[in-house]
Amino acid sequence: MEKKLAKITVNVNEEGYLTDFSQWTKEVGNEIAKEQEIEMTNKHWEVIAYIHEKFKNEEPLSIRGIKKSGVINIKEFYQLFPGGPLKKATMIAGIPKPKSCI
Amino acid sequence: MEKTKIRKMLFILSKATIENVYAAFIMANGARMEGIDSEIFFTFFGLEVIQKKKLEHLRVATVGNPAMHIPTMLGGLPGMEALATKMMKKEMEKLDMPPIDEFLEILSDSGCKLWACKLAVDMFHLKEKDLIDNLDGILTIGDFYNRADKDNTHLLFI
């Protein structure tokens, strides 16, 4: 379905994840974050950049990967994106929800 | 996104066979990843998982486990458990499943509370120094039930 975020019309699935990453801009990410009651800081964007890099290299995301990322530790990750960090961070990053169980 | 209806998952882990331990860990971690609170209460043989000296030596059971498809007599031969465990760990590593010590760290960092059962700790004559550093404490079952005393909380015995 279509949704208007930061004056841009984007396609999202029923959970609110962008279905076409090419429609993502930082402003779109910011709007999604606001809807999730997350105020984006530089640290948040660093994590989003890490997620984008993983996505472009087609590497799966996991909490173990976050631990090894060198960008952020797990505790901070949970603090920055409360209530399901990987789920929320990927939504803000405009990529599909991770399918992994770990 | 809709807010989840399950708010808290409490796991009672009474076994130390790898498949049971990973079931508890993956579900507890998965809960945190979904924004659900989670806690694990280690009791009886589950205590092996949080003993510094034992946690790296957990095994998969080859005897009395029909799903292993090994005849019971063979499963009991020396080295069989070690072999099966090695093979299973290899498969787990392929799926990027963390080893026990690292998984405990991930759980603790993720905010999953780790508790030891007081009665079992006493029964096995364990001291606090025998247990992992990121343990949140030693509880009676009554204490644990108090932690369950919230709406939308589920208890699971493994």
Side-chain angles (χ1 to χ4, degrees), chain B residues 25 40 42 46-56 100-108 112-116 126-138:
Chain B
F25 280 14
I40 307 174
F42 297 87
L47 278 182
E48 303 251 317
V49 185
I50 49 167
Q51 289 178 57
K52 284 174 191 161
K53 284 186 185 156
K54 293 195 172 163
L55 61 91
E56 277 173 38
I100 299 287
D101 54 345
E102 191 188 334
F103 216 149
L104 282 164
E105 246 180 72
I106 290 176
L107 285 165
S108 177
C112 173
K113 298 263 182 251
L114 307 170
W115 306 109
L126 296 172
K127 300 271 179 302
E128 242 172 84
K129 65 170 168 50
D130 301 320
L131 305 173
I132 54 168
D133 296 330
N134 34 20
L135 191 72
D136 288 284
I138 300 173

Side-chain angles (χ1 to χ4, degrees), chain B residues 57-145:
Chain B
H57 307 290
L58 304 184
R59 296 267 174 91
V60 52
T62 48
V63 173
N65 182 0
M68 287 298 292
H69 304 289
I70 300 173
T72 295
M73 294 296 281
L74 288 180
L77 290 176
M80 277 308 275
E81 263 191 9
L83 179 72
T85 303
K86 204 175 156 191
M87 281 164 64
M88 190 175 276
K89 281 187 175 169
K90 216 169 128 188
E91 289 303 315
M92 285 174 162
E93 187 58 45
K94 274 191 213 161
L95 291 174
D96 203 28
M97 279 160 80
I100 299 287
D101 54 345
E102 191 188 334
F103 216 149
L104 282 164
E105 246 180 72
I106 290 176
L107 285 165
S108 177
D109 286 349
S110 303
C112 173
K113 298 263 182 251
L114 307 170
W115 306 109
C117 162
K118 183 171 187 315
L119 194 60
V121 166
D122 291 346
M123 198 185 98
F124 288 111
H125 308 290
L126 296 172
K127 300 271 179 302
E128 242 172 84
K129 65 170 168 50
D130 301 320
L131 305 173
I132 54 168
D133 296 330
N134 34 20
L135 191 72
D136 288 284
I138 300 173
L139 299 185
T140 65
I141 188 64
D143 296 334
F144 191 63
Y145 272 132

Side-chain angles (χ1 to χ4, degrees), chain A residues 64 67 78 84 87 91 102, chain B residues 33-34 96-97 102 105:
Chain A
R64 192 186 192 193
K67 188 171 187 275
Y78 271 89
K87 224 168 63 171
M91 185 188 272
I102 26 178
Chain B
M33 299 281 289
E34 290 298 313
D96 203 28
M97 279 160 80
E102 191 188 334
E105 246 180 72

